[in-house]
Every structure is written in C-alpha cells, then in structure tokens.
C-alpha cells in the first residue's frame, strides 16, 4: 500500500493558511543581484589569478620591492588632492560617501595616493631610498561597465619612492613588461614625457592658442575640457578631435633641455635592455600627478573581450587598441603636495582583469587533471571505520608535505574512482573494512588497473615514490 503523509494537525485550518502565506512570501523574495560592473572571481578563475599573484611576488622579490597593503577606504580628500579634482576618476568615477560619523571617505580608485600617504605617515623618508613598494588588490571606479572595464577591478601596483633617476623609470617599465612577458603576453610600451610643470604650462598655453582656432571641430566634451583640463583633449577618441590634435603642437617640443635629457636617458636605458617602445606624443594619462615620464602597456595581439565563459560584462567591448593593460609614470611633486617632504617617485599599475582575459585566451581554461603540479594520489574509503582511518592517513601525509585528493562523504567506490580520474590521480589508495582490520591499504594504478596491497605503515614512503614520478604525464 502506498504510504501517504498524514495531513498536518491544524487548529481550525490555521496551519494550512500559514503555509500558503509562506508560499506567497517566498515568491516575493528577491534574490540580491551582483552589482553592475562587479564581478565574482570563481573557482575556475583561481588558477590564473593565483598564478598572476605568484608571478608578481616573484618579480617583486627579484627587483627588491616589499609588499604594502593600504586600506581600500581613505579620506576622500587624499584621492581628490592626488588625482586631481577635474579628472574623470574624481569627477565621475570615485565612490564617495559619508561614513556613520560624517567623515567623507572614498573607495580607492587606484593605489598611488594611498601608498604616498603611507610613505608620509610611516616616516619612510628615513629609510634607505628609494623605498620600493608593491601591492595587489581591488580598486573601485564607478565607470561605465563594458568588457574589460569594471567598477571593482584589481591592480598590480609598484611604486619606487625617494629617488629621481631615469634608470628608475626604465626599471619600472622593465618590471611591468616582464610581468606581461612571463604570462605569455607580447607587450608594447607607449611612452611620452610631460616634462616639468613649467614645461607643461608653456605647452598648454600653446595648445590652447591652437585649439581656439579649431574649436568648431571639437566635440562638446573637449570644448568643456578647454577650460577645465585641456591636456585630456589629446587622448579624446572622437575622430574630429583626434584630427585636430594630430595637426597641433606636440608636448615633446616644449620640454626644457633638462626634461628632454631626462627623457632621452629613460629611452636609452630601455634600448639597452631591448624593450620595444613607441613614442606617443598624445599620451598624457588621466591622472593629474604626473611629471616627466609617462607610459602605457598594451598587448601586441589584442584579444576580443570578454572571453569564453564570461557573461557578466555589459555593453560593447572597447576597441582592444584602446584598452591598456597598464600605465604609470613619474610623479615627483605628489608627496610634497600631500604635506610630506619633497620626494620624487615613479610607479605603474597593471589592470589584472584585462591581463587575466589575455592569459585565458592564450592558455585556454585550466584543466586540473593535466596540471603537472596536481596531487597524484586519491584516498578512497568505504565504511565508517575506513573513513576514520582515511582521516589519519590524509593528515599524516599532509604533515609530511604530501597533498592528496579525497572525498570523505559517503559516495560509492565507483564514484570515488570517477572523481580520482577527474582529478587526474595516477594512483588511488583504497581503504575498506578489511584493510582497516588487516592494517593494509590497496594501491591501485589508475592507468593499468593493477592493484597491490601494502602495509599501512608504508603509505608515506609509497606516496613519496608516486609524487617523485610526477613529471611523467
Ligand atoms: P590607470 O591607468 O588609471 O593608472 O590604471 C592602470 C590600469 O588599470 C589600466 O591600464 C587598466 O588596465 C586598468 N583599469 C583602469 N580602469 C579599469 C576598469 N574600470 N576596469 C578594469 N581595469 C581598469 C593608475 O591607476 C595609476 N595609479 C598607475 C600609477 C602607479 N602611476 C604611478 N604609479
């Protein structure tokens, strides 16, 4: 006879009404959505992101950089004074709000300002100079989301503070270049000099004089920029503006002799280590603190973003030619402007989401089953006693530095074997009721299917032997 559940006892049908209410309420529950322009980094992204972090840490160590973690939130004034009130980043993109005690705070739109603040607040000018600092973490800009453009994204940031020497600028470019190269990307470096503030003032005057005669050909944004931030007109993407700019005066011709010499030295050092670069006279960067050298890095072979499996980006992809993988430059006046001692500095930041997209396009999705560093052994168990035994085995092996895969739930032996294959295990150690009693373990070669029984005390030695042969397949 088919068993049916007895109806819930109700007082005057109250229970029934309640569950109907609950159903209605459930229907009305709205699952919170990911914010626009934000992105989850999923387990499938782990391999690429960990690899980027490890490469960054390796390079930082090689070039003598120490890691610094500044807060994601600082006084909004720090960013406004550093990046410049009339830049897009501050005017349109920074997340600013009052916190609960009325302090006006900003989510960092970049690292440089926070690092400069930390340099001052920790008295780093007393350390041997330059102080070289690197960071890896999230930054926030309320930008219009597109492929490769997010509202929370990550940067690898390097700053060298306390010395003015063209070789430092060149070294930073070399580091950024090598980071990309190590990840398999062929980088291109665009470079320019913005000279000293005096050079720039003379140039802006000249540029404005020229632009006034061409005002009719400029877009509305650029007309506005003429009074607010004329240098931004140089990298306007509108065809009309670009044509006007191309005919106009170039900043390089307005550099003082000293600024020119400085820039030439940077280029010579880049030549010395065969870093290919392209002089781009319109490169002025979107942040106000730069002096002298400015640069941006691109991929020689751009990928179309988003890549396969990424459905969380919106709108049209920006032309890849426009999406820089990184940028940076010298900022000799920032620390003084923030109230510190005059401290020349130079740095760069790389956009890690864009780089990750390139790495995935180049390498395809990571397959854990073929990773040469994957754990080669799967521990399978059957029955409660075996499960307890497996706990000890896994822990003993881990303490000896041997990482194994396992599934300690109650799956069948068959599904544990399937899992072992999925992980690319070359051997499975099987522990059942009998093995617990005999103090043994079955070692199964996953390829040949050959099984042998060994003493449980020999597990570690056997595991070490298997791990040592890991270069084979
Ligand atoms: P930035 O050019 O503003 O420079 O940003 C560096 C990189 O961050 C860009 O080249 C790009 O790859 C990435 N990026 C920028 N905005 C987004 C976005 N909305 N979504 C995804 N990626 C983005 C700076 O931030 C300076 N602080 C660099 C620096 C350090 N200069 C001196 N020291």
């Amino acid at each position: 006879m088919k068993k049916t559940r007895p109806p819930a006892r109700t007082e005057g049908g109250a229970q029934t009404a309640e569950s109907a209410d609950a159903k209605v309420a459930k229907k009305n529950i709205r699952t919170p959505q990911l914010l626009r322009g934000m992105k989850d980094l999923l387990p499938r992204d782990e391999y690429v992101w960990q690899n980027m972090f490890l490469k960054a840490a390796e390079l930082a160590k090689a070039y003598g950089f120490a890691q610094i973690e500044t807060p994601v939130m600082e006084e909004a004034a720090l960013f406004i004074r550093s990046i410049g009130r009339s830049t897009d980043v501050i005017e349109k993109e920074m997340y600013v709000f009052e916190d609960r005690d009325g302090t006006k705070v900003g989510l960092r739109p970049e690292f440089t300002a926070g690092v400069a603040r930390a340099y001052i607040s920790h008295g780093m000018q007393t350390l041997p100079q330059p102080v070289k600092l690197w960071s890896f973490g999230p930054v926030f800009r309320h930008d219009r989301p597109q492929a490769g453009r997010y509202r929370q994204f990550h940067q690898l940031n390097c700053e060298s503070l306390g010395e003015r020497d063209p070789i430092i600028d060149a070294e930073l470019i070399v580091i950024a270049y090598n980071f990309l190269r190590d990840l398999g990307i062929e980088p291109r470096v665009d470079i320019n000099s913005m000279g000293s503030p005096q050079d720039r003032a003379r140039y802006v005057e000249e540029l404005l004089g020229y632009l006034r005669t061409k005002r009719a050909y400029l877009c509305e944004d650029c007309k506005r920029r003429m009074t607010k931030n004329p240098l931004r007109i140089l990298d306007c993407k509108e065809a009309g503006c670009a044509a006007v700019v191309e005919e106009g005066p170039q900043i390089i011709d307005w550099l003082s002799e000293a600024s020119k010499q400085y820039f030439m030295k940077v280029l010579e050092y880049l030549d010395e280590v065969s870093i290919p670069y392209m002089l781009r006279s319109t490169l002025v960067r979107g942040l106000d603190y730069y002096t002298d050298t400015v640069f941006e890095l691109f991929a020689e072979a751009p990928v179309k973003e988003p890549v396969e499996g990424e459905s969380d980006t919106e709108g049209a992809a920006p032309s890849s030619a426009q999406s820089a993988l990184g940028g940076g430059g010298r900022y000799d006046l920032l620390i003084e402007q923030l109230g510190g001692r005059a401290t020349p500095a130079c740095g760069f930041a790389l956009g890690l989401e864009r780089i990750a997209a390139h790495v995935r396009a180049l390498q395809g999705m990571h397959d854990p089953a073929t990773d040469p560093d994957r754990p080669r052994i799967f521990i399978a168990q059957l029955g409660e006693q075996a499960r307890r035994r497996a706990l000890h085995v896994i822990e003993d092996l881990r303490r000896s530095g041997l990482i194994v895969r396992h599934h300690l739930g109650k799956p069948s032996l068959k599904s544990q074997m399937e899992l072992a294959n999925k992980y690319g295990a070359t051997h499975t150690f099987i522990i059942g009721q009998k093995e617990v009693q005999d103090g043994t373990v079955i070692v199964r070669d996953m390829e040949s299917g050959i099984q042998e029984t060994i003493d449980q005390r020999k597990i570690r030695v056997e595991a070490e032997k298997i791990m040592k042969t890991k270069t084979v397949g």
Side-chain angles (χ1 to χ4, degrees), residues 38-321:
M38 304 278 171
K39 184 172 172 351
D40 292 316
L41 288 179
L42 298 171
R44 65 159 196 241
D45 304 310
E46 182 189 3
Y47 181 77
V48 170
W49 281 81
Q50 271 196 4
N51 199 26
M52 288 196 298
F53 183 84
L54 291 176
K55 279 270 171 299
E58 197 181 290
L59 271 180
K61 199 170 171 196
Y63 289 96
F65 281 70
Q67 198 176 356
I68 184 165
E69 281 294 328
T70 58
V72 291
M73 208 157 58
E74 302 254 9
E75 264 183 63
L78 166 67
F79 301 119
I80 298 169
R81 281 170 56 193
S82 304
I83 295 166
R85 196 174 283 282
S86 56
T87 57
D88 281 355
V89 173
I90 296 301
E91 238 182 19
K92 302 183 189 160
E93 297 165 9
M94 183 165 66
Y95 282 85
V96 217
F97 53 94
E98 276 189 12
D99 74 4
R100 285 173 188 272
D101 56 22
T103 311
K104 198 174 165 201
V105 297
L107 293 184
R108 65 178 179 207
E110 53 121 42
F111 280 96
T112 313
V115 173
R117 196 261 317 129
Y119 180 91
I120 302 169
S121 33
H122 298 283
M124 292 192 207
Q125 69 279 2
T126 60
L127 301 174
Q129 307 291 303
V131 175
K132 296 172 164 188
L133 301 169
W134 75 284
S135 312
F136 188 107
V139 292
F140 305 84
R141 296 184 193 176
H142 196 274
D143 210 340
R144 197 168 72 83
Q146 293 184 356
R149 199 195 279 169
Y150 302 96
R151 290 184 173 169
Q152 175 177 330
F153 58 100
H154 295 73
Q155 287 186 339
L156 160 61
N157 190 78
C158 287
E159 310 288 357
S160 176
L161 307 114
E163 200 171 319
R164 178 180 162 80
D165 190 313
I167 204 153
I168 288 184
D169 310 32
E171 187 186 52
L172 284 158
I173 295 171
V174 169
I175 298 170
Y177 184 88
N178 283 341
F179 179 75
L180 296 173
R181 274 300 285 273
D182 286 1
L183 290 170
I185 300 169
E186 199 57 53
R188 188 191 89 215
V189 179
D190 284 9
I191 192 165
N192 194 20
S193 172
M194 307 197 50
S196 67
Q198 294 77 18
D199 298 344
R200 202 154 55 224
R202 281 188 289 126
Y203 171 66
V204 168
E205 202 177 310
E206 182 69 19
L207 180 69
L208 277 174
Y210 165 76
L211 290 175
R212 274 188 210 107
T213 67
K214 307 281 177 191
R215 199 168 189 282
Y217 304 103
L218 298 178
C219 70
E220 288 311 307
D221 269 351
C222 282
K223 282 180 185 148
R224 203 174 46 84
R225 286 177 183 136
M226 278 181 71
T227 44
K228 286 194 129 182
N229 200 347
L231 284 177
R232 299 299 314 151
I233 299 173
L234 294 183
D235 64 2
C236 178
K237 306 293 180 279
E238 293 290 329
C241 302
V244 168
V245 164
E246 204 178 311
E247 299 290 308
Q250 301 202 346
I251 196 163
I252 204 94
D253 298 323
W254 296 85
L255 297 184
S256 67
E257 205 40 45
S259 301
K260 229 181 257 170
Q261 286 301 322
Y262 188 94
F263 188 43
M264 292 317 289
K265 273 275 173 219
V266 177
L267 301 183
E268 275 172 33
Y269 291 131
L270 292 179
D271 289 335
E272 184 67 39
V273 283
S274 307
I275 299 279
Y277 56 82
M278 216 175 78
L279 295 175
R280 198 172 102 213
S281 60
T282 54
L283 173 53
V284 285
R285 312 270 300 130
L287 313 154
D288 276 358
Y289 47 61
Y290 292 112
T291 49
D292 292 296
T293 322
V294 281
F295 55 90
E296 280 177 353
L297 293 108
F298 297 82
E300 276 291 13
V303 285
K304 196 184 169 308
E305 297 163 281
V307 292
E308 193 203 340
E310 262 185 23
S311 55
D312 44 3
T313 46
E314 304 166 51
S319 130
S320 294

Side-chain angles (χ1 to χ4, degrees), residues 389-407:
R389 186 74 215 117
L391 273 179
H392 289 286
V393 171
I394 292 162
E395 196 48 29
D396 288 349
L397 290 175
R398 189 190 64 78
R399 284 211 193 97
S400 315
L402 300 163
I403 306 297
V404 293
R405 298 274 197 181
H406 50 80
H407 184 324

Side-chain angles (χ1 to χ4, degrees), residues 180 183-186 301 303 355-364:
L180 296 173
L183 290 170
I185 300 169
E186 199 57 53
V303 285
I355 294 170
H358 276 267
V359 173
R360 273 196 305 258
L362 287 165
Q363 299 178 352

Side-chain angles (χ1 to χ4, degrees), residues 399-452:
R399 284 211 193 97
S400 315
L402 300 163
I403 306 297
V404 293
R405 298 274 197 181
H406 50 80
H407 184 324
L408 289 181
K410 289 180 184 161
S412 67
L413 191 58
K414 183 166 171 268
S415 58
Q416 290 185 70
M417 288 303 170
E418 280 166 9
L419 206 55
N421 276 326
K422 197 173 150 222
Y423 287 141
T426 56
H427 293 77
T428 299
F429 291 1
I430 306 165
I431 309 170
Q433 209 62 29
K434 181 169 182 305
E435 286 69 35
V436 174
Q437 246 119 61
D438 298 352
T440 57
V441 60
I442 298 169
V443 177
R444 180 185 172 90
D445 183 317
M446 296 300 282
E447 207 180 288
S448 64
I450 295 170
Q451 298 193 163
E452 62 168 322

